């Protein structure tokens, strides 16, 4: 699987998680909107029949995780964002303006879990 399809499905999953988190914790609403824009960005390069199923499955998972409380949400968010940042740094050109913007967003999302 190429890096664009992985990024596409990763962003669909991240958007789903944040959607599930934001049902209980409105602070994740902006993060959800960012992840949706990242997903749309990668749709320019690749598409998959798995996008919607991944999004909906992770939305449900995100909501279930939110039932365990904000600390569980923060821990999962931290793991997801750290891995996303590593993925982008290892597979994409950080000098690309769009990729740099995505990395900035992901780092901002990470601070929601490690600073608070």
């Amino acid at each position: 699987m190429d890096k664009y399809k992985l990024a596409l499905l990763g962003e669909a999953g991240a958007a789903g998680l944040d959607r599930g988190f934001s049902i209980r914790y409105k602070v994740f609403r902006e993060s959800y909107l960012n992840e949706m824009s990242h997903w749309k960005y990668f749709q320019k390069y690749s598409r998959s029949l798995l996008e919607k199923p991944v999004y909906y499955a992770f939305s449900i998972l995100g909501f279930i995780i939110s039932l365990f409380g904000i600390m569980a949400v923060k821990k999962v968010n931290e793991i997801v964002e750290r891995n996303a940042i590593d993925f982008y740094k290892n597979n994409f050109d950080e000098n690309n303006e769009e990729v740099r913007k995505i990395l900035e967003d992901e780092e901002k999302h990470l601070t929601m879990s490690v600073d608070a």
Side-chain angles (χ1 to χ4, degrees):
M1 190 177 291
D2 71 17
K3 65 183 181 181
Y4 289 101
K5 195 160 300 269
L6 284 173
L8 174 78
L9 294 175
E11 292 298 346
L17 270 179
D18 282 345
R19 176 66 184 121
F21 294 163
S22 69
I23 292 170
R24 291 199 64 213
Y25 302 106
K26 301 304 180 205
V27 69
F28 284 92
R29 178 80 175 146
E30 181 182 345
S31 179
Y32 164 68
L33 296 174
N34 290 152
E35 299 296 1
M36 288 297 291
S37 72
H38 302 166
W39 181 10
K40 287 183 189 340
Y41 171 75
F42 285 107
Q43 284 178 334
K44 294 189 281 187
Y45 299 100
S46 183
R47 297 301 307 251
S48 174
L49 293 173
L50 296 175
E51 290 174 66
K52 293 283 184 164
V54 166
Y55 171 78
Y56 289 116
F58 277 81
S59 293
I60 293 166
L61 180 62
F63 178 71
I64 291 169
I65 291 168
S66 76
L67 296 175
F68 291 97
I70 191 67
M71 294 311 293
V73 168
K74 286 182 177 186
K75 186 61 179 172
V76 170
N77 188 63
E78 178 183 354
I79 293 167
V80 169
E81 297 301 347
R82 282 192 196 281
N83 286 309
I85 291 166
D86 289 344
F87 175 77
Y88 288 120
K89 286 184 176 183
N90 291 330
N91 293 291
F92 291 92
D93 178 13
E94 292 182 55
N95 294 321
N96 176 302
E97 185 177 329
E98 288 291 328
V99 172
R100 189 172 48 246
K101 171 69 171 108
I102 289 170
L103 273 168
E104 288 171 5
D105 287 344
E106 301 296 0
E107 288 170 358
K108 186 170 72 171
H109 302 161
L110 179 60
T111 62
M112 293 171 63
S113 295
V114 294
D115 285 347

